[in-house]
């Protein structure tokens, strides 16, 4: 099932994800729906926050991109395609090395993109959708996508990593998107006022 993608301005994008203790049928279904949603949006990655679930869960698939990736498992070059699509639960990123500026977009920021500086390579420890531990080192696009999605899992957005000049130049578009998103959110219930209205109507 394709899920609605939460846009900038929705408070769930700022929530830290909860650790997933067990791969339940609900988690499997959520991961499958996230993969379907990511593909339908032609994305390379999606975090649970982006479908309204503050959980430590991301999905990704870099196969459609021409941008190069590297992956090593136990020190040996791995066949990246064999590991795609990838579902990562409770990921932990360590040993960041190098710096690289690269172009990024985000499904929660339609029409907005920028150059973002990230580590060139990182080590990833996580659990896969079978509940098995997974550890690998990655570089290039794969490392960039995982760092972008891992930020989402901790309530961090790519605008937080833009240089100030870029953020200023995108200021108007960001404000408009935030306003549009917030206009669609359900109104905060004001118990006193509602109660009063209800009793008057009764
Ligand atoms: Zn994103």
């Amino acid at each position: 099932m394709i899920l609605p993608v939460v846009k900038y301005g929705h408070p769930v994008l700022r929530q830290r994800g909860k650790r997933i203790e067990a791969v339940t049928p609900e988690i499997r279904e959520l991961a499958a729906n996230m993969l379907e949603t990511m593909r339908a949006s032609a994305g390379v990655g999606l975090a649970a926050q982006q479908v309204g679930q503050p959980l430590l869960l991301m999905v990704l698939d870099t196969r459609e991109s021409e941008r190069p990736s590297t992956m090593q498992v136990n020190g040996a070059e791995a066949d990246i395609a064999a590991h795609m699509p990838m579902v990562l639960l409770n990921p932990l990123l360590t040993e960041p090395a190098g710096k690289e500026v690269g172009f990024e977009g985000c499904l929660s920021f339609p029409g907005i993109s920028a150059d973002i500086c990230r580590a060139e390579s990182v080590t990833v420890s996580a659990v896969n959708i079978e509940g098995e531990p997974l550890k690998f080192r990655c570089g290039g696009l794969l490392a960039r996508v995982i760092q972008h999605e891992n930020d989402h899992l901790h309530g961090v957005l790519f605008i937080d990593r833009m240089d100030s000049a870029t953020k200023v130049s995108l200021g108007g578009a960001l404000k408009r998107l935030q306003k549009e998103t917030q206009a669609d959110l359900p109104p905060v219930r004001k118990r006193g006022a509602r109660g009063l209205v209800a009793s008057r109507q009764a």
Side-chain angles (χ1 to χ4, degrees), residues 101-167:
V101 173
F103 185 73
E104 287 184 25
C106 178
L107 296 178
S108 296
F109 291 78
I112 293 169
S113 52
D115 280 333
I116 307 288
C117 185
R118 304 256 182 208
E120 199 285 324
S121 60
V122 286
T123 296
V124 182
S125 305
V127 169
N128 69 15
I129 198 65
E130 306 306 328
E132 300 157 343
L134 182 70
K135 190 174 180 182
F136 58 92
R137 180 128 190 112
C138 58
L141 179 65
L142 182 55
R144 178 168 297 278
V145 174
I146 290 178
Q147 289 174 83
H148 178 114
E149 302 312 332
N150 192 59
D151 273 354
H152 274 299
L153 302 189
H154 297 278
V156 176
L157 300 171
F158 80 150
I159 52 171
D160 305 335
R161 299 198 182 273
M162 286 176 190
D163 63 48
S164 49
T166 306
K167 213 175 158 183

Side-chain angles (χ1 to χ4, degrees), residues 55-74:
L55 292 169
L56 294 179
L57 166 64
M58 68 165 86
V59 299
L60 56 123
D61 194 338
T62 57
R63 283 176 296 182
E64 295 291 311
S65 175
E66 285 169 5
R67 294 163 73 179
S69 295
T70 61
M71 181 178 181
Q72 293 99 29
V73 181
N74 297 326

